[in-house]
Amino acid sequence: MMGWISITLLVLAVICLIIGLLLSGSGSTTGLTALAGQDLELFKKTKDRGFVKILQMVMFILMFVIFAIAIVGAVTGAY
């Protein structure tokens, strides 16, 4: 049986995948560039505004949340 940390990581990963697919048509770098290993211009000034900018910030924050949950799961052995 999966622990609560595994389920949380799975749900957040699916949310990030959906956000990445929504961002795939915007800008010169697509939403899934990190997964594809392409050029990711993280701190470059862009002209993205509105919904796209919000999705980019949500994706960025969710990656840190996933990383923190993975560390907590590894330290506590709660997988």
Side-chain angles (χ1 to χ4, degrees), residues 19-48 52-53 56 59:
I19 291 173
L21 290 173
L22 287 173
L23 288 172
S24 65
S26 67
S28 61
T29 58
T30 63
L32 298 175
T33 53
L35 295 176
Q38 297 173 356
D39 182 28
L40 182 59
E41 300 163 353
L42 187 60
F43 297 107
K44 183 180 177 185
K45 291 264 186 189
T46 61
K47 294 183 179 182
D48 295 330
V52 172
K53 191 67 169 178
Q56 287 173 345
M59 181 85 147

Side-chain angles (χ1 to χ4, degrees), residues 56-68:
Q56 287 173 345
M57 286 189 281
V58 168
M59 181 85 147
F60 187 69
I61 292 169
L62 280 177
M63 286 298 125
F64 280 115
V65 170
I66 288 174
F67 187 65

